[in-house]
Amino acid sequence: MNKSRVLEALGKRWEIETRWRSMLTMHLRSRDSMGRLERGYLAGLFESREKTVKELERLIALTVESAKKEGGNVYVAKTVEDARRYIVSLAESRGVKCVIKSKSMTTEEIGLNEALLSRGIEVVETDLGERIVQLAGQRPSHIIAPAVHLSRDAIARLVSEKRGANLPPQPEAITRFFRQDLWADFKRAGMGITGANVVVAETGQAVLVTNEGNGRLVATMPRILVSIAGVEKIVETWDDAFNVLRVLPVSAVGRDATSYITVIGPRGMSRHVKVPEYHLVLLDNGRVGASRDPWLKDALRCIRCAACLDVCPTFRILGGHVFGDIYSGPMGVPWTAITKGIKDASVIAKYCVSCSLCLHVCPVQIDIPMTISWIKHAAGEKTLRERILTTYEFYAKLGSRLPRLFNWLQGSRVSRRLMEGLLGIDRRRLMHRFRGGSLYGILGERYLSRRDADIVYFPDTYAAYIDWGIGVLVVRVLEALGFTVAVPRTYGSGMPSIQYGFLSKAKKVAEKNVEKLKSYVESGARIVCSEPTAAYCLREAYPKILDTAASQRVAEYTWELTSFIAAEAKSLSPGTGLQSNTYVFYHHPCHSRLLSPGRPSEDLLKKVGLNVLSFDYGCCGIAGTWGMRRGAEGFLISAEIGRRVAEIILGTGCMEIATESSVCAQQLRQFTGLKVRHTIRYIAETLGIQHRDQDVLNF
């Protein structure tokens, strides 16, 4: 069933193109605006949202007290059935025939539209995107841009079919039509229903953020007004509300402020104008329980900015109708777990590729990828293919011992078909070749047992067993820069186990690696990783999985290679072997963004005399072993992303690509056809250690 939905989504080429273009644009606007935002606002927002999570039950009680004091009606709904029953009964008892709504994901959560329609009460969505998907008979595919998957041509055809108006496919004409078409509904509606971006406990008022003005009309024209919000939307004070309202439009759409901020309550914004009849419905539906859950509680900080959706590589391809339930995309997975349970959440969790870009852009620092990993773990349903893919390091070790056999197997059509059937590795995926031997065998006992080192090199699976040439080059460069290096025998980072939710297995690997490394950091040595994902595991994942002082200590001393060199090496300058007319495209690995603020790799490449171009399209789409998986829920999605990334890179005219991720290199080589080089090769060349094209096996 899920595979057929994926294939159907992949077949809608025009939807993918529309979504990719729109969401990339939204991400870039948000990124640029967030870069200009004062850090103090983010700190204030985090503090406000943390207070809500920690004191949720007290704030619910305070909100009820405040709203009632002002003459409002307040109902705290334990379940979706309770909330739905209250609102439908209210409409029926007041003789309401038509309800107008502003956008509200909470009403989607409780299935309110269907419930009202089943009782003969007409429901009209007034948000432009919501109205479009309502006419299309669809649910929203994006929490702030519900119709982002539809092109202007598709919308114009929809208006012609459903409303009988022939419009040109122009945003201005479409907007003008809906403004006129909805006016009659505003005038005849007996009840208005809004959501809320914030509920202020000290006054009992709801705050609505909109760009079209429809929310303000919904809140003022009907004789009955209902605001519904999840209890996590509560903040204690207006100062806390300001913290949300200051950051939300910046992170969501890249604007310093929204067009309309509407304060809703028994007296609205004025102490002298009373709303004829006002009801505030606060929905629990798992939220209070989640506030006490160690893995789910952080999701309650969410302000619904959708930045995580816009940056998510698989969401750009599949959209919210596949990668989503009521709440879609990365944040939709923990929210589905909160509101519908772990089993429902696990159905969509598989589309998370653990790139961690959602954590990088989240203004309230929700670790969505690790929470999703826990959800996969808690669901307990693992496929044989996923179990096999977690043995990636075992496969690499065998390949290092039998390189000729494995290289032949990976190049044979017959064996690739067998690998696809038995191991679940798509036969179309370009695979790395094995050099033969291991880094530990090449370096020898002097590096394995050294205790007086400044630096401990953690090579991870690729540099240890697939191509030890990268590992040797890292050691030589670090030594040339004046550092003493140790390379103790460690295990791979365990990222595949984290990615697929095998947290018990990942915990064992993390414990072994921390045990190996802790004595070095206790003596002051720093850990350096040439694979960004390995640095991510040591820095971000291990402390969350283990929650020990030793894992935290290792995390504090872990560096990504290029970030370390940029910070510590002062002697780099353009090398004599580098040509000033060399144009290199730099691909930023996903996990580097979390670990290395700024652009240290690009700065290094420029420092050694290269012309460097880059573009922030986000993830390249391979996501480790995820993009190696057979068919619809792996390679096909990965390829859709890879082709679009390749088009951007090739459009720059660059003839080489630099990056640090071995799996990104696979994807980029396959879809661009260009040479891909680890950044360390360019640094080695400028130091006179080795030309960047010398002895290259894969990248």
Side-chain angles (χ1 to χ4, degrees):
M1 178 62 180
N2 289 324
K3 290 180 182 178
S4 64
R5 292 176 64 202
V6 171
L7 289 172
E8 182 182 356
L10 291 174
K12 296 178 179 178
R13 311 295 302 177
W14 55 274
E15 276 197 15
I16 296 175
E17 294 297 338
T18 300
R19 193 162 44 237
W20 177 273
R21 182 176 60 253
S22 300
M23 295 177 71
L24 179 56
T25 299
M26 288 193 287
H27 161 63
L28 293 174
R29 286 176 181 168
S30 173
R31 181 205 64 182
D32 292 345
S33 297
M34 288 294 288
R36 295 190 296 269
L37 188 70
E38 290 183 25
R39 298 297 95 181
Y41 289 128
L42 291 175
L45 173 62
F46 183 87
E47 183 179 334
S48 295
R49 299 306 295 140
E50 269 289 272
K51 180 166 60 173
T52 290
V53 176
K54 290 177 179 178
E55 303 179 30
L56 185 56
E57 292 178 89
R58 179 183 69 83
L59 293 178
I60 293 171
L62 178 58
T63 304
V64 172
E65 179 186 348
S66 299
K68 286 183 175 179
K69 189 183 297 183
E70 288 296 311
N73 303 281
V74 190
Y75 180 67
V76 180
K78 182 69 175 176
T79 67
V80 295
E81 292 80 12
D82 293 339
R84 192 166 57 227
R85 187 185 310 113
Y86 181 88
I87 298 172
V88 173
S89 297
L90 176 65
E92 287 187 312
S93 67
R94 303 299 192 271
V96 172
K97 301 299 180 185
C98 176
V99 169
I100 53 173
K101 291 177 60 206
S102 70
K103 188 173 71 173
S104 167
M105 289 306 298
T106 312
T107 62
E108 295 285 341
E109 181 182 335
I110 69 172
L112 183 59
N113 286 17
E114 294 81 359
L116 289 168
L117 290 168
S118 71
R119 305 308 293 250
I121 301 170
E122 185 183 359
V123 181
V124 180
E125 298 285 356
T126 64
D127 175 85
L128 179 58
E130 291 276 354
R131 183 57 175 160
I132 290 168
V133 296
Q134 184 182 35
L135 291 176
Q138 300 174 356
R139 62 177 175 84
S141 68
H142 188 285
I143 60 173
I144 67 167
V148 71
H149 59 293
L150 297 175
S151 67
R152 61 186 66 178
D153 294 288
I155 294 169
R157 289 194 299 270
L158 181 67
V159 170
S160 175
E161 178 186 340
K162 298 293 184 179
R163 305 300 292 172
N166 292 317
L167 301 177
Q170 298 170 355
E172 297 81 4
I174 293 168
T175 304
R176 192 179 306 114
F177 167 79
F178 277 110
R179 181 185 297 124
Q180 296 168 350
D181 190 54
L182 285 168
W183 183 241
D185 298 313
F186 281 116
K187 290 191 291 184
R188 68 189 177 90
M191 176 185 282
I193 298 177
T194 77
N197 296 95
V198 184
V199 177
V200 185
E202 67 178 358
T203 61
Q205 292 169 305
V207 184
L208 188 63
V209 173
T210 60
N211 285 314
E212 300 166 19
N214 61 303
R216 190 161 290 183
L217 291 171
V218 170
T220 54
M221 293 190 70
R223 57 189 169 87
I224 305 167
L225 175 60
V226 178
S227 295
I228 179 169
V231 293
E232 86 287 353
K233 295 289 186 68
I234 298 173
V235 297
E236 183 162 18
T237 69
W238 277 100
D239 286 339
D240 294 320
F242 171 79
N243 289 332
V244 176
L245 299 174
R246 180 66 186 91
V247 177
L248 177 58
V250 181
S251 185
V253 292
R255 294 173 57 181
D256 289 336
T258 189
S259 299
Y260 301 93
I261 296 176
T262 304
V263 180
I264 304 170
R267 297 183 183 277
M269 294 184 70
S270 171
R271 299 288 298 177
H272 309 290
V273 180
K274 184 172 175 62
V275 175
E277 185 175 355
Y278 178 69
H279 296 258
L280 174 62
V281 178
L282 298 172
L283 179 65
D284 179 354
N285 193 30
R287 291 160 170 84
V288 172
S291 70
R292 298 188 287 265
D293 186 286
W295 282 100
L296 293 176
K297 64 180 180 181
D298 289 355
L300 297 176
R301 294 200 298 262
C302 180
I303 62 172
R304 305 298 197 275
C305 67
C308 61
L309 278 68
D310 296 339
V311 79
C312 176
T314 49
F315 189 86
R316 287 182 187 172
I317 299 300
L318 298 176
H321 293 153
V322 177
F323 189 0
D325 194 275
I326 298 302
Y327 298 101
S328 57
M331 59 81 73
V333 182
W335 271 97
T336 300
I338 291 169
T339 60
K340 298 184 77 172
I342 294 293
K343 185 175 181 181
D344 284 358
S346 68
V347 173
I348 59 174
K350 68 181 71 175
Y351 302 120
C352 168
V353 299
S354 300
C355 66
S356 293
L357 292 181
C358 52
L359 171 57
H360 177 67
V361 300
C362 180
V364 286
Q365 303 169 44
I366 303 169
D367 195 340
I368 302 174
M370 280 304 299
T371 304
I372 292 176
S373 179
W374 173 80
I375 288 168
K376 293 174 181 177
H377 165 78
E381 298 174 0
K382 304 293 190 297
T383 65
L384 177 61
R385 177 176 64 181
E386 289 169 341
R387 293 181 187 280
I388 290 171
L389 289 171
T390 62
T391 64
Y392 176 70
E393 185 168 15
F394 175 73
Y395 177 86
K397 286 181 178 179
L398 281 180
S400 71
R401 294 169 184 166
L402 302 166
R404 290 185 180 180
L405 174 61
F406 272 64
N407 289 338
W408 176 81
L409 289 172
Q410 291 180 167
S412 164
R413 290 185 179 181
V414 175
S415 64
R416 286 305 298 269
R417 286 182 179 275
L418 288 172
M419 288 173 66
E420 185 176 76
L422 296 174
L423 305 179
I425 298 175
D426 199 287
R427 65 180 181 272
R428 291 162 288 191
R429 170 57 67 192
L430 176 69
M431 301 293 286
H432 282 317
R433 298 177 69 246
F434 286 89
R435 186 176 292 275
S438 75
L439 177 65
Y440 306 115
I442 296 298
L443 292 177
E445 189 62 30
R446 184 163 66 98
Y447 288 91
L448 269 64
S449 59
R450 176 175 278 163
R451 304 304 306 177
D452 60 343
D454 309 310
I455 302 297
V456 177
Y457 174 44
F458 184 91
D460 204 15
T461 305
Y462 178 83
Y465 298 108
I466 297 174
D467 182 9
W468 50 259
I470 288 288
V472 169
L473 209 54
V474 170
V475 172
R476 299 290 179 257
V477 166
L478 290 171
E479 289 178 334
L481 294 172
F483 299 103
T484 304
V485 183
V487 190
R489 191 184 296 273
T490 51
Y491 294 87
S493 64
M495 186 60 190
S497 296
I498 296 171
Q499 186 173 35
Y500 300 121
F502 291 86
L503 290 191
S504 297
K505 186 175 182 178
K507 185 176 181 179
K508 291 177 182 177
V509 172
E511 286 172 338
K512 291 175 181 177
N513 280 331
V514 168
E515 184 63 30
K516 283 272 187 179
L517 297 169
K518 69 178 184 179
S519 62
Y520 288 95
V521 300
E522 286 169 358
S523 62
R526 285 169 289 184
I527 303 163
V528 170
C529 306
S530 56
E531 191 77 57
T533 298
Y536 162 79
C537 288
L538 269 62
R539 275 263 298 272
E540 299 288 331
Y542 285 8
K544 292 183 173 71
I545 294 171
L546 299 179
D547 192 24
T548 61
S551 63
Q552 187 60 49
R553 183 79 166 164
V554 166
E556 291 169 359
Y557 278 74
T558 296
W559 288 72
E560 190 184 11
L561 175 65
T562 53
S563 181
F564 176 81
I565 293 174
E568 299 295 327
K570 311 300 181 185
S571 59
L572 283 176
S573 59
T576 56
L578 289 174
Q579 299 177 0
S580 60
N581 63 349
T582 300
Y583 282 82
V584 175
F585 185 92
Y586 177 71
H587 169 73
H588 206 154
C590 295
H591 290 126
S592 295
R593 298 162 188 264
L594 283 172
L595 307 172
S596 306
R599 297 179 175 272
S601 294
E602 291 178 59
D603 292 342
L604 280 175
L605 290 169
K606 290 174 182 176
K607 191 173 183 179
V608 300
L610 295 169
N611 298 297
V612 184
L613 300 177
S614 190
F615 185 86
D616 189 10
Y617 43 69
C619 178
C620 70
I622 189 169
T625 60
W626 194 93
M628 300 178 192
R629 305 192 312 173
R630 177 179 61 228
E633 294 180 339
F635 179 79
L636 291 180
I637 300 172
S638 177
E640 283 294 329
I641 302 165
R643 280 191 282 269
R644 285 164 175 76
V645 167
E647 184 178 336
I648 293 170
I649 294 173
L650 293 172
T652 67
C654 292
M655 298 305 293
E656 295 182 18
I657 302 172
T659 192
E660 291 85 49
S661 168
S662 60
V663 287
C664 291
Q666 281 179 277
Q667 181 87 329
L668 299 173
R669 283 171 58 210
Q670 180 156 5
F671 290 101
T672 67
L674 300 180
K675 292 179 179 179
V676 184
R677 299 287 180 263
H678 195 295
T679 305
I680 198 67
R681 294 191 182 278
Y682 297 93
I683 298 170
E685 183 172 15
T686 202
L687 293 172
I689 296 171
Q690 181 177 292
H691 189 276
R692 66 177 177 275
D693 284 330
Q694 182 182 338
D695 201 30
V696 174
L697 183 66
N698 297 305
F699 87 119

